Amino acid sequence: MPFAPVHHDVKEALPFFHSTEKVEGLWLPILSNECSFSTSIFEDVMYNLIKNPNINSSYLFRADILYDSDTQYSDVDYREFRNGNQGDGEWDGEIKRISIVDFIVTRTVVRKLIPRNPQLDKLLIQTCIFLKGGNEQEEESSLSSSRGISRNGSNTDHTLVIYIPHAREPSNIPFYHPPVRGIAYLHCGTAVSFSYLLFPNTNLTPRLLRTASSLLSVAHKHGQGTAAGYEKRVQHDALVPQKAVQDTYTALKARHANRLITNWVESTDPAKHVFEDLAITAFLIELWKDMYPADNSEKAGRQVQGPSSFVDIGCGNGVLVDILLHEGFEGWGFDARRRKMWRTFEQTTQVHLHELVLVPAPLLSSDTTSPAFAYMPEPTSSIGSRLYARHNGIFTEGSFVISNHADQLTTWTPLLALLSFSPFLCIPCCSHALSGARFRAPVRQDIPPPEESQKTAGKQPSAYAALCGYVAYLAREAGYNVDREMLRIPSTRNVGIRGRLPKTVTKTREERAGVILKLLEQEGGCDGWIERVELLRGRKEKNTDSHSSVTSIGDSKMASLKSIEE
C-alpha cells in the first residue's frame, strides 16, 4: 500500500483524540494514511523506532532506554529508584504523564536521545507513552470521517503512541527534534495518523509539516514492510554493545578527528576515511576489553586493556595505527607503499610505520628450522629506511593481527595469524586469491555469506559475500573459532571477521606450518605471489589511502604480470 497521506486543515479538522486536561492544549491533526498492518505490528514498529531513533534522523546515534515499565521496574521499584536518586546523569528520574480521553496507558518508556555530534547537538530526554482505546461508544472523529473508515462505534482496537520531550520551551529542544510539546501516532485498524501538540504562542511551520510527513512515512513503510514479511538481514552489535562502541567513538572523534582532518594530504575525502578508522578503532578497543582481562593488562604494566601488541598488515594511510598508539596501545603497521600521510604524524607514530612487502615464510621454505622461519621483530628503522625489504609474516607470538581492507593479504590473514599463534580481525574488501591474483572467491556452504537470510538462501551470493565466507572458511580450517560483526562504519565493505584460537590448542610452529602448507595445496597453491610482490619495488610514494599490501601496477608491468599468470 503506497504512502499517500491526507493533509488535514488544522483550523477545520477535528482532533483525532483529546487530552483530559484543557491546559495541555489541543492535539493538531496533521496527516493520516491508510494502512494494512495490524495493531500488534504498529506497536512493534513504534518500539523499534523508539529504540533506534537514527532511523528517523541521521543526526542521532541511538537511544538509551532509561526506564521501561514493561521490563525494568514495577511501581514500587521505580519509587525506590527515584528516592535513591539513581538518575542517569541528565535524567532526574522524572516521567512525563498524560491523560487522553477514552484511552488507558499500557506502557511507558523513557529514553535518552544520543546525538552523533554532542559538540553541536545536546542530548534530549523523552517520555514515550503507549495507550489503548478503552471506549466502546466513541464518537466519529476527523480520522475516520476523512478516510471513510467505519469504526462501528468502538475504539478498543486503537493504539496511540505519544512522545513528550522533557523541555519547557522550544529553545530547549535540539535541532534534530521538532520544536513541539508532543508528537503522536494513532493506529485505528485501517489507518495511521500523526498529530502535534504545540508550545503556547507557536505556530505550525512548513518545517514541522515536512517533518510530520517524513516521520509518518517511515512508520508506514516499516509497518507495511513487516506485514509483507520483511526480515532484517543485517544484525549489528553481535560482539560488542552498540552503546560502548558509539561512546568510545564519540570520545575518539573529539580527541583525534580535527588534527587528522586538518593534516590530511591524501587526494581522497578526509572525513570519510578518518571517521571510518575512528569507528574501527572504537570497535577494536571495546572488543579487546572483552577479550583481554583487565588484571592481565595491569600485571603486564599496560595502562590500557588489550593485547600485548598489535600489527596492522597493509596499514594504508596509517591512521588506524596512529590512533591506537595515541590511545596507549603498543604495535606497528606496514604496507608495500609508504603514504604521504605518514609524514604528517608525530615521530612517535612514524617510527612504527614501515614500508615492507610480505612474503610468508611457508612460501620460502617448508623447513621450519630454516632461517625463513626466524621470528622477525618490528623494524627499528625510521620511516624512510628499508632495513627489511621483506617480512616473513612471523610476528611476536600473541600479537593481535589487524587486516583492514588489506586486499591481497585478506585471504592470507588467518594463515599469517596462525603462524604467530595470534587472534585477528579481518575486514575484507577486494577479492584476491592466495597467489595475489584477482579472483572470485568460491562459495563455501558451511560458512553462510553475511547477507544470507530466508530470502537469499539458495541464491548465488555477491562477490563480497563469497569473499567473507571464504576468509571465514580458511580461518576455521586453520583451527580458529570464527565470529562476525557488521561494523557501523561508513563503508559497504563492513564485515568484521574475528578469529580466536581455542585455549586448548597448543600446536608447535612446525604443526602450524604444516596446517598452512596443507591449506595452500588444498586451495590451489600461491604461485606468482613472490613475483607480484617484486613488481612493487622501485615505485614512487603512493598518494592514496587504500589499505593494501600489494597495489595496482602500471600498464607496462601488467604485461609482465600477465605472462607470470600464464
Side-chain angles (χ1 to χ4, degrees):
M1 182 174 292
F3 181 67
V6 172
H7 296 257
H8 300 285
D9 186 342
V10 297
K11 295 181 180 180
E12 298 181 1
L14 295 174
F16 300 141
F17 53 89
H18 298 272
S19 299
T20 57
E21 300 291 336
K22 292 184 179 180
V23 69
E24 292 180 354
L26 289 176
W27 286 86
L28 302 181
I30 308 300
L31 299 167
S32 60
N33 196 89
E34 292 183 348
C35 67
S36 59
F37 50 88
S38 66
T39 297
S40 61
I41 288 177
F42 172 73
E43 292 175 353
D44 290 342
V45 167
M46 286 293 101
Y47 188 63
N48 183 57
L49 293 176
I50 287 172
K51 292 191 300 180
N52 300 282
N54 50 295
I55 294 174
N56 274 318
S57 174
S58 60
Y59 293 97
L60 292 171
F61 251 155
R62 68 179 189 277
D64 290 345
I65 304 300
L66 306 179
Y67 170 79
D68 187 340
S69 62
D70 267 16
T71 60
Q72 281 191 291
Y73 308 101
S74 67
D75 290 337
V76 173
D77 290 333
Y78 178 66
R79 284 195 295 270
E80 293 177 351
F81 172 82
R82 286 199 64 179
N83 294 336
N85 193 28
Q86 299 174 7
D88 183 86
E90 303 292 333
W91 185 45
D92 59 5
E94 178 189 10
I95 296 178
K96 296 291 184 179
R97 308 293 182 181
I98 195 166
S99 178
I100 303 297
V101 176
D102 297 324
F103 280 84
I104 57 175
V105 175
T106 59
R107 185 177 190 179
T108 302
V109 177
V110 179
R111 66 176 180 172
K112 178 168 65 175
L113 299 175
I114 307 298
R116 286 185 177 274
N117 191 343
Q119 296 176 325
L120 292 178
D121 300 310
K122 57 186 178 181
L123 58 81
L124 179 68
I125 307 299
Q126 190 181 63
T127 297
C128 308
I129 305 169
F130 289 73
L131 305 97
K132 293 287 286 186
N135 183 13
E136 295 293 338
Q137 297 294 328
E138 187 187 7
E139 296 179 359
E140 196 81 359
S141 74
S142 64
L143 175 62
S144 56
S145 60
S146 65
R147 303 300 293 171
I149 300 168
S150 173
R151 295 172 50 182
N152 299 320
S154 172
N155 78 334
T156 55
D157 63 338
H158 297 175
T159 298
L160 180 63
V161 180
I162 294 177
Y163 298 72
I164 305 176
H166 292 210
R168 297 181 181 276
E169 55 188 26
S171 60
N172 298 139
I173 294 182
F175 173 79
Y176 55 76
H177 188 285
V180 296
R181 293 172 61 196
I183 294 170
Y185 298 84
L186 174 63
H187 181 274
C188 63
T190 58
V192 61
S193 68
F194 186 92
S195 301
Y196 279 133
L197 178 64
L198 300 183
F199 282 103
N201 303 316
T202 60
N203 299 313
L204 199 61
T205 64
R207 179 194 166 197
L208 284 175
L209 293 174
R210 291 193 301 270
T211 301
S213 180
S214 175
L215 293 174
L216 186 60
S217 69
V218 170
H220 179 269
K221 174 184 175 182
H222 282 242
Q224 293 296 136
T226 303
Y230 171 80
E231 295 181 7
K232 186 177 180 180
R233 295 189 306 175
V234 175
Q235 300 298 327
H236 293 279
D237 316 313
L239 302 182
V240 181
Q242 175 188 10
K243 180 181 186 301
V245 175
Q246 290 183 339
D247 286 349
T248 299
Y249 169 79
T250 299
L252 291 175
K253 186 168 69 170
R255 289 197 289 269
H256 303 293
N258 184 62
R259 70 173 177 84
L260 291 170
I261 292 174
T262 300
N263 296 331
W264 193 260
V265 293
E266 306 291 352
S267 59
T268 48
D269 177 21
K272 189 267 184 190
H273 293 284
V274 168
F275 293 151
E276 180 175 329
D277 282 337
L278 284 168
I280 294 171
T281 305
F283 175 78
L284 279 170
I285 289 174
E286 294 303 320
L287 182 70
W288 289 344
K289 287 179 181 178
D290 179 66
M291 294 179 62
Y292 300 94
D295 54 349
N296 288 0
S297 298
E298 293 174 1
K299 290 178 182 178
R302 295 192 296 274
Q303 296 181 349
V304 290
Q305 188 175 342
S308 58
S309 65
F310 70 86
V311 56
D312 187 353
I313 62 176
C315 66
N317 56 41
V319 169
L320 184 61
V321 173
D322 178 71
I323 300 170
L324 286 171
L325 292 175
H326 271 85
E327 291 300 309
F329 297 94
E330 297 181 7
W332 60 290
F334 68 89
D335 202 284
R337 287 279 151 248
R338 76 184 75 172
R339 303 296 196 269
K340 288 185 176 181
M341 193 66 189
W342 293 6
R343 298 200 307 267
T344 70
F345 298 135
E346 297 172 2
Q347 188 64 23
T348 51
T349 294
Q350 291 192 28
V351 297
H352 293 295
L353 293 170
H354 305 282
E355 185 178 8
L356 302 171
V357 291
L358 191 144
V359 180
L363 272 64
L364 300 174
S365 174
S366 59
D367 180 7
T368 57
T369 63
S370 73
F373 276 83
Y375 158 65
M376 294 183 71
E378 177 191 355
T380 56
S381 59
S382 64
I383 189 172
S385 172
R386 287 193 175 189
L387 179 61
Y388 293 106
R390 294 180 178 177
H391 197 284
N392 64 0
I394 300 180
F395 312 114
T396 303
E397 189 166 300
S399 294
F400 193 95
V401 177
I402 303 170
S403 174
N404 175 23
H405 294 186
D407 290 356
Q408 283 86 346
L409 287 177
T410 296
T411 50
W412 270 98
T413 300
L415 309 187
L416 295 173
L418 182 62
L419 271 179
S420 303
F421 213 56
S422 297
F424 69 86
L425 176 70
C426 179
I427 307 173
C429 184
C430 301
S431 187
H432 292 82
L434 292 167
S435 66
R438 292 296 297 264
F439 88 139
R440 183 184 177 96
V443 178
R444 301 299 185 184
Q445 298 298 332
D446 57 331
I447 305 289
E451 71 251 28
E452 191 74 51
S453 70
Q454 291 182 359
K455 290 188 175 182
T456 59
K459 296 183 180 180
Q460 182 71 11
S462 67
Y464 182 64
L467 174 62
C468 294
Y470 187 62
V471 172
Y473 160 78
L474 291 175
R476 182 168 291 182
E477 289 291 296
Y480 281 91
N481 291 330
V482 180
D483 40 31
R484 301 172 186 248
E485 181 69 275
M486 301 301 292
L487 302 175
R488 296 177 182 272
I489 59 176
S491 172
T492 57
R493 302 294 189 258
N494 63 338
V495 176
I497 302 170
R498 193 259 301 263
R500 294 175 297 168
L501 285 167
K503 294 181 180 180
T504 56
V505 173
T506 56
K507 287 187 173 70
T508 64
R509 178 171 294 179
E510 290 75 13
E511 291 172 325
R512 300 198 302 267
V515 171
I516 294 170
L517 291 170
K518 180 180 178 181
L519 267 174
L520 291 176
E521 180 180 1
Q522 175 182 310
E523 298 303 315
C526 50
D527 291 345
W529 174 271
I530 297 177
E531 291 83 353
R532 291 182 178 87
V533 169
E534 292 299 328
L535 289 175
L536 298 175
R537 296 190 182 280
R539 297 184 63 211
K540 295 181 179 179
E541 185 178 74
K542 186 172 176 137
N543 181 18
T544 183
D545 58 341
S546 65
H547 296 75
S548 115
S549 178
V550 181
T551 55
S552 59
I553 55 180
D555 292 341
S556 61
K557 293 184 178 179
M558 278 296 291
S560 301
L561 179 57
K562 185 177 180 180
S563 65
I564 291 171
E565 293 177 342
E566 293 174 347

